[in-house]
Structure formats: structure tokens, C-alpha cells
């Protein structure tokens, strides 16, 4: 099938979903442009900052459009491109966008409370504590998976056949992309300071952003940093530390705004390339319900596609950061629902690029999903006369930025989850240990330290666990939305189908993952490990640590679900004013 046809169908479906279903949800739940939003009412210049709607949209899209839509869609294509396409469209429209918009809506209507605090209000204090523990563990998993991806993308060295580390053929390109990333961080701070001083709007803000983007690429392309994976890992963690503690307006928002222009260029390049070249979708339509490498299509397809269709992480962004910067309620559908359907389109584009890169007999292109997508879109740019080096550096930077923009958001959310776990109403008279645990710097360092330990597992091993936890998180958010909508007298019928399906998917996937880890450890225990090849420490890190996390997630998830359903059964319809 022609990839152009697939993209056009997806674009029409997603656009219609936003225009009709997204607006229907907004009208059903109620939007009041005259109401003061938390950003306006609680403006503190740090987390609560009234912000232009398109800038908030940029932050939301940049934060949620991480590695998921590219990596997930391409990996799941092992089952065939049709199941992936159908789930991305159905999941994006009726599951993901509803959850993202609902989380944003509930938070804005509750003074910008994060999802953990919303759960305390509607589910109970125990539910809140359990959810915050779950969220913190999940954030650490995301930090581990995405930080490992970023460090690997910028890595200039590779092992030779003899096992000796030497410069890789892509060293120059990777080093240039890494330098571009660093310059992005520097110029984001400069951009934020200029915005704070002059408050540029519209075309002035856009021109300044584009100028900084060009400067970043010029410096990066001419001054590559040739570092190994370990060095880039340290740099990545230093960056996300500052992203987690600095005010939103100083680093996070300006970087997201700049990154969005780059993403738009990347998406436009992919779309135009598919329009002009309209290559054939070489991946098979459907390969069967069982894949030798991945497992059974249910539930693996759903947890592998992850962010391209539905993601609990998105809801943490919606309620954790975006809800605190919305300056007018009329921007909520655009930010909550619109950013998600655009991410679904990105997942479809990644699927089509991978399909075009596959061999005529259906054999997938070699390399990681990031490498396949990056080289495919870079090839489109080259068709229009862009030099190979420039196109490759640009796309390497783009795919790493997909992970980096999620990384800085999740580092901040992880820090906030940890703080909320130990915070009390009267922090001024709280115990010393509680004040320490709620300290911005201490909570950030502890969160990043645990995430760094998990990077030793490697993203390939941690990804299945990330997908399962991510989907379970979305189910927990949907339960909370059910209660919120019920007690405020709003319709919640549209929440039940995605809620029930996601609960079935996620618990099945986590149990499968748990059994796989037990089997791997049992196999290692019954085998004599050849000296020098591996160690019991390596076996534990690769399997034992995942096993512990899988058990924790299952126990926490089940406990929260039970508490939530009890709270829903006890809740009374319209018991809270619909103006909440």
C-alpha cells in the first residue's frame, strides 16, 4: 500500500476527531473563558505562570512527544502495520486524548492540583500516597529509559570486532548533535530571560526562537563534542537536574517552544517527503497474533505502541505542569486534546517511514527505531538538496530531542511526586526530616540517583516495563476522572470503555513480564555461567531489579484500583458543585 494514502487517512481521522469529538467533550464538561485559571489566580513566577495558549501547547506537545511514538510504533510493527495503525488512531482519539484532556481539565478546575493531590481529594489519602509512590517509581523508569537513549544517540564510540572501543563512523554527526543540544539549553535560558524582560508575543517570539535554533545548529555543526556514552549520560543528568529545579519560564518553557519549531520542521519534512516520494509500505499488513520476539499481540501491541495511542505520563504533564500555566480555559482543548492527536500523527509518520525503509520482501530496516526514523527522514531532506551532513545532524538532534523534552518534564514531575509524598499542609512547623525530603534539591537528587542506577539495565530491557507501567498509570488516571466527573455532575460514560480495556491490558502485561523475569532468573540459576562472560550481578541488574519493580507496580496498581472503585461506589452524583 502507498504510505501517502495511510498518512492522509490518519490526518483526516485525527483532524475530524479534534474538531468534533474534542469540542464535544469540551462542551459536555463545560469551558468558561471568563473564569480565573490557577495560573492567573496563584501566579508565583515559578510553577504557576500565566502563559500564551500556543506556548503551553508547545510545552505540552514537546513534553509528551518523547521516544514513545517513534520507538513504540516501529517496534510494534512486528505484528504488521495495520494493527499498529488501527490502535494509534482508535487509541489516540478515544483513549489518549480523552485522558490527557481530562487530566488537564480536572487539574485546572481544582486550582492546578497534580494528579496525586486530585486522587487524595476524590479517592482518599491512602490512594494518594500509593499513587505518588507509583508515579515516582514510574518517573525513575522513564528517566532511566530515555536518558540511556539520549546518551547512546550522542555516543561517538563503538566496540570493534575485537571488543576495543574506537571512534564510530557516526562520531562527527553524533558529536555535532550533542553540541546542538547543549547550545539549545544555553539559548533557552537566554530566551527565557529576554522573554521575562520584554514579553515578546507572536511573530517576535517566533523570530527570536528561530534565530536561536539556527545559531545552535551553526555552533553545533562546527564544534562537535566527541564524547563517550558515559560522559553524555553525566551531561544529560546535569541538564535534567537544572530543568527540574529552575523556574518554568527560565529553561523548560523556552526550550519546549524552540523544540516545537524543530519538531514541526521534522514532521513537515516527513510529510512532504512521503507526498513527493510516496514510497510503498513494505512492512507486512499483518504477521499474526504471536511474534517470536515480542510475544502475543494482546497485550504486547498496546503496551509497545504506548505513547502514540495512550500514556499515563501525558496525564502527569497535563496536571503537573501545563495546568499551572493555562491562562484561559478556552486553551484547554487545544493543549489537552490537540497535542495528543498530533502525537498520534507523529506515530503514524514513524510507522510509514519505517515501512518505506524496509526491504521489498518486508524485512525491517537494520538499526534501532530511532536510527531507522532518523535516517529515513534525513533521506527525504536530502531529496530537496539539503547537504547529507546537515540533514543527518538535524535528524539526530530531533530524535534525541524527542527523548530530552520528556526527560526534563519527567524529572520535574518525579521531583514533585516525591515532595508531595512527604508534604503536609503546615510545612512551616513540619519535622526536620520531612522538610529535608520536601526540599527541591534533595528530592531532585534522590530521584535522579535512582534513575541513574536503572540506566545500567539499558533501555531495551526497561522498555517493556515502562510500557506496562505507563499504560497502568493511564488506567489509574481514568479511574480518578470517573470519580471527579461523577461528583461534579458531569458525564463520565466516555471514560469507562478505555478504563476497562486499559486495566485488562496492563495487568496482563505486568504479569507476563513478571513471569518472564522469573523464568530468566531460574534459567540462569540452573546454568553454569562461563567465567568472564557475565556475572550474577549482571543477571540481577537485568532481571532481578525488573522483577522487583514489576511486583511493586502490580501490588501498588491493584491496591489503588481497589481503593478507587470503593471511592467511586461511595461517591454521590453531583455532590460537588459542577463549577469546581
Amino acid at each position: 500500500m502507498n504510505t501517502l494514502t495511510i498518512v492522509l487517512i490518519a490526518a483526516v481521522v485525527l483532524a475530524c476527531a479534534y474538531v468534533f469529538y474534542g469540542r464535544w467533550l469540551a462542551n459536555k464538561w463545560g469551558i468558561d473563558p471568563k473564569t480565573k485559571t490557577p495560573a492567573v489566580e496563584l501566579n508565583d513566577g515559578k510553577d504557576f505562570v500565566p502563559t500564551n495558549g500556543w506556548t503551553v501547547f508547545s510545552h505540552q506537545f514537546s513534553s509528551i512527544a518523547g521516544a514513545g511514538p517513534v520507538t513504540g510504533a516501529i517496534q510494534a510493527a512486528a505484528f504488521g502495520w495495520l494493527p499498529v495503525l488501527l490502535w494509534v488512531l482508535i487509541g489516540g482519539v478515544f483513549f489518549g486524548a480523552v485522558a490527557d484532556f481530562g487530566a488537564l481539565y480536572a487539574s485546572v478546575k481544582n486550582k492546578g492540583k497534580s494528579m496525586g493531590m486530585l486522587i487524595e481529594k476524590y479517592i482518599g489519602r491512602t490512594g494518594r500516597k500509593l499513587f505518588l509512590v507509583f508515579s515516582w517509581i514510574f518517573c525513575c523508569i522513564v528517566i532511566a529509559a530515555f536518558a540511556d537513549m539520549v546518551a547512546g544517540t550522542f555516543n561517538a564510540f563503538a566496540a570493534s570486532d575485537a571488543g576495543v572501543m574506537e571512534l564510530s563512523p557516526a562520531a562527527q554527526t553524533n558529536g555535532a548533535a550533542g553540541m546542538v543540544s547543549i547550545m539549545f539549553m544555553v539559548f533557552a535560558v537566554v530566551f527565557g530571560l529576554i522573554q521575562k524582560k520584554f514579553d515578546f508575543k507572536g511573530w517576535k517570539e517566533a523570530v527570536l526562537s528561530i534565530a536561536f535554533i539556527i545559531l545552535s545548529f551553526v555552533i553545533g555543526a562546527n564544534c562537535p563534542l566527541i564524547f563517550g556514552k558515559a560522559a553524555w549520560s553525566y551531561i544529560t543528568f546535569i541538564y535534567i537536574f537544572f530543568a527540574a529545579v529552575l523556574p518554568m519560564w527560565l529553561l523548560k518553557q523556552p526550550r519546549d517552544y524552540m523544540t516545537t519549531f524543530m519538531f514541526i520542521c521534522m514532521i513537515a519534512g516527513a510529510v512532504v517527503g512521503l507526498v513527493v516520494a510516496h514510497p510503498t509500505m513494505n512492512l507486512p499488513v499483518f504477521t499474526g497474533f504471536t511474534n517470536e520476539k515480542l510475544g502475543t499481540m494482546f497485550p504486547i501491541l498496546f503496551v509497545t505502541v504506548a505513547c502514540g495511542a495512550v500514556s499515563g505520563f501525558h496525564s502527569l504533564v497535563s496536571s503537573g505542569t501545563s495546568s499551572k500555566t493555562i491562562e484561559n480555559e478556552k486553551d484547554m482543548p487545544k493543549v489537552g486534546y490537540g497535542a495528543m492527536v498530533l502525537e498520534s500523527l507523529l506515530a503514524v509518520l514513524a510507522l510509514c517511514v519505517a515501512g518505506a525503509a524496509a526491504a521489498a520482501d518486508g524485512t525491517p530496516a537494520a538499526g534501532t527505531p530511532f536510527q531507522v526514523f532518523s535516517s529515513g527522514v534525513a533521506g527525504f531532506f536530502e531529496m530537496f538538496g539539503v547537504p547529507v551532513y546537515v540533514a543527518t545532524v538535524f535528524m539526530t538532534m530531533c530524535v534525541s530531542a524527542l527523548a530530552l523534552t520528556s526527560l526534563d518534564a519527567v524529572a520535574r514531575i518525579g521531583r514533585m511526586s516525591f515532595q508531595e509524598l512527604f508534604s503536609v499542609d503546615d510545612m512551616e512547623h513540619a519535622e526536620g526530616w520531612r522538610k529535608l525530603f520536601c526540599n527541591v534539591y534533595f528530592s531532585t537528587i534522590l530521584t535522579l540517583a535512582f534513575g541513574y542506577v536503572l540506566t545500567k539495565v539499558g533501555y531495551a530491557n526497561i522498555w517493556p516495563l515502562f510500557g506496562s507501567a505507563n499504560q497502568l498509570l493511564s488506567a489509574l488516571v481514568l479511574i480518578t476522572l470517573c470519580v471527579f466527573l461523577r461528583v461534579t455532575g458531569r458525564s463520565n460514560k466516555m471514560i469507562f470503555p478505555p478504563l476497562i480495556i486499559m486495566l485488562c491490558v496492563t495487568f496482563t502485561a505486568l504479569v507476563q513480564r513478571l513471569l518472564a523475569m522469573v523464568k530468566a532468573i531460574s534459567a540462569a540459576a540452573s546454568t553454569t555461567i562461563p567465567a568472564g562472560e557475565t556475572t550474577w550481578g549482571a543477571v540481577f541488574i537485568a532481571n532481578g531489579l525488573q522483577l522487583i519493580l514489576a511486583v511493586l507496580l502490580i501490588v501498588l496498581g491493584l491496591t489503588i484500583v481497589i481503593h478507587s472503585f470503593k471511592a467511586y461506589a461511595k461517591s454521590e452524583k453531583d455532590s460537588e458543585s459542577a463549577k469546581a
Side-chain angles (χ1 to χ4, degrees):
M1 189 173 183
N2 194 299
T3 52
L4 178 58
T5 305
I6 297 172
V7 171
L8 290 176
I9 291 172
V12 170
V13 169
L14 295 170
C16 289
Y18 174 74
V19 171
F20 296 108
Y21 193 52
R23 287 183 180 176
W24 178 79
L25 286 174
N27 292 332
K28 195 76 173 174
W29 292 341
I31 297 280
D32 185 2
K34 296 180 181 178
T35 299
K36 277 189 176 182
T37 62
V40 175
E41 189 178 356
L42 306 173
N43 185 358
D44 62 4
K46 293 181 179 179
D47 294 316
F48 290 88
V49 183
T51 308
N52 173 270
W54 284 110
T55 303
V56 183
F57 172 85
S58 300
H59 160 70
Q60 177 82 5
F61 177 68
S62 294
S63 297
I64 68 174
V70 172
T71 300
I74 294 177
Q75 282 186 335
F79 292 107
W81 64 263
L82 185 58
V84 177
L85 177 66
L86 291 175
W87 174 233
V88 166
L89 295 182
I90 295 171
V93 171
F94 297 107
F95 290 57
V98 173
D100 292 10
F101 180 33
L104 179 69
Y105 183 88
S107 181
V108 169
K109 290 295 186 180
N110 281 277
K111 298 187 180 297
K113 291 181 184 292
S114 67
M115 192 51 60
M117 304 306 288
L118 288 173
I119 284 180
E120 178 177 10
K121 180 176 181 179
Y122 295 107
I123 307 299
R125 185 176 292 272
T126 302
R128 170 206 167 194
K129 294 289 186 184
L130 293 170
F131 180 83
L132 288 172
V133 172
F134 185 99
S135 297
W136 185 74
I137 293 173
F138 171 74
C139 286
C140 292
I141 292 172
V142 177
I143 289 170
F146 288 9
D148 192 64
M149 287 182 188
V150 170
T153 301
F154 296 151
N155 179 26
F157 295 89
S160 66
D161 295 336
V164 179
M165 297 302 292
E166 57 186 26
L167 280 177
S168 71
Q172 190 81 4
T173 300
N174 294 351
M179 186 60 176
V180 174
S181 290
I182 291 176
M183 295 314 302
F184 249 63
M185 300 166 194
V186 173
F187 283 124
V189 173
V190 176
F191 191 7
L193 292 171
I194 292 174
Q195 277 290 79
K196 186 73 172 176
K197 177 72 174 176
F198 300 104
D199 191 26
F200 288 148
K201 299 287 185 183
W203 68 268
K204 292 181 181 178
E205 186 180 23
V207 168
L208 184 63
S209 174
I210 294 169
F212 283 148
I213 292 172
I214 294 171
L215 279 173
S216 297
F217 273 95
V218 170
I219 295 172
N222 289 283
C223 305
L225 291 179
I226 310 300
F227 292 154
K229 186 176 180 180
W232 281 115
S233 184
Y234 298 143
I235 292 171
T236 300
F237 274 90
I238 290 170
Y239 162 65
I240 58 177
F241 170 80
F242 284 109
V245 301
L246 291 176
M248 285 286 290
W249 61 266
L250 182 57
L251 176 59
K252 187 79 180 77
Q253 282 185 338
R255 188 184 185 282
D256 287 342
Y257 186 78
M258 291 166 60
T259 303
T260 299
F261 278 98
M262 196 169 64
F263 286 167
I264 290 172
C265 187
M266 176 188 72
I267 292 172
V271 171
V272 174
L274 290 171
V275 169
V276 174
H278 49 82
T280 302
M281 168 60 80
N282 292 323
L283 291 173
V285 177
F286 179 60
T287 61
F289 287 96
T290 303
N291 179 268
E292 185 179 345
K293 202 171 183 182
L294 296 180
T296 56
M297 192 165 77
F298 180 89
I300 301 303
L301 170 73
F302 304 92
V303 298
T304 303
V305 171
C307 306
V310 57
S311 168
F313 166 64
H314 295 184
S315 301
L316 298 183
V317 175
S318 294
S319 65
T321 54
S322 296
S323 64
K324 296 174 177 60
T325 56
I326 290 278
E327 67 179 358
N328 194 304
E329 285 193 7
K330 66 181 175 61
D331 294 324
M332 286 197 290
K334 173 171 59 188
V335 174
Y337 200 95
M340 179 60 224
V341 294
L342 183 58
E343 179 168 2
S344 293
L345 180 61
L346 176 57
V348 174
L349 289 172
L351 178 65
C352 289
V353 170
D361 62 356
T363 304
T368 65
F370 265 14
Q371 290 169 338
V372 172
F373 182 71
S374 175
S375 60
V377 180
F380 290 149
F381 281 113
E382 291 166 31
M383 285 169 41
F384 305 115
V386 178
V388 175
Y389 179 65
V390 174
T392 308
V393 169
F394 175 75
M395 281 309 303
T396 303
M397 172 57 195
C398 280
V399 295
S400 63
L402 287 169
L404 271 171
T405 50
S406 291
L407 259 177
D408 51 27
V410 82
R412 195 177 191 92
I413 293 165
R415 180 263 292 176
M416 293 168 70
S417 296
F418 191 86
Q419 287 178 292
E420 289 176 3
L421 183 61
F422 297 99
S423 66
V424 291
D425 293 335
D426 186 14
M427 282 302 299
E428 187 176 344
H429 299 96
E431 303 94 320
W433 67 268
R434 195 178 293 276
K435 288 183 178 179
L436 174 66
F437 277 31
C438 291
N439 178 272
V440 171
Y441 302 103
F442 181 83
S443 56
T444 301
I445 290 171
L446 203 62
T447 300
L448 298 186
F450 188 51
Y452 180 77
V453 170
L454 289 179
T455 59
K456 302 307 176 184
V457 176
Y459 91 89
N461 290 321
I462 208 78
W463 188 263
L465 195 58
F466 156 74
S468 302
N470 189 25
Q471 305 304 81
L472 178 54
L473 188 61
S474 70
L476 301 180
V477 169
L478 288 167
I479 296 175
T480 308
L481 293 179
C482 277
V483 181
F484 160 72
L485 294 169
R486 177 180 171 83
V487 301
T488 56
R490 297 178 172 96
S491 174
N492 65 358
K493 293 182 178 63
M494 71 290 290
I495 302 294
F496 284 100
L499 167 60
I500 293 168
I501 292 172
M502 294 319 299
L503 284 175
C504 294
V505 164
T506 52
F507 279 117
T508 304
L510 279 172
V511 170
Q512 283 187 354
R513 192 67 185 160
L514 187 149
L515 294 175
M517 293 303 100
V518 170
K519 186 176 179 181
I521 293 172
S522 299
S526 61
T527 304
T528 302
I529 301 176
E533 288 193 13
T534 187
T535 64
W536 273 108
V539 171
F540 172 75
I541 289 175
N543 298 294
L545 195 54
Q546 292 183 75
L547 175 63
I548 293 170
L549 289 175
V551 171
L552 270 174
L553 293 174
I554 291 171
V555 172
L556 285 170
L558 279 172
T559 311
I560 297 168
V561 168
I562 292 168
H563 271 81
S564 300
F565 278 121
K566 284 182 178 178
Y568 185 82
K570 292 178 182 178
S571 65
E572 296 180 12
K573 187 175 182 180
D574 207 13
S575 59
E576 183 180 307
S577 171
K579 293 180 181 179

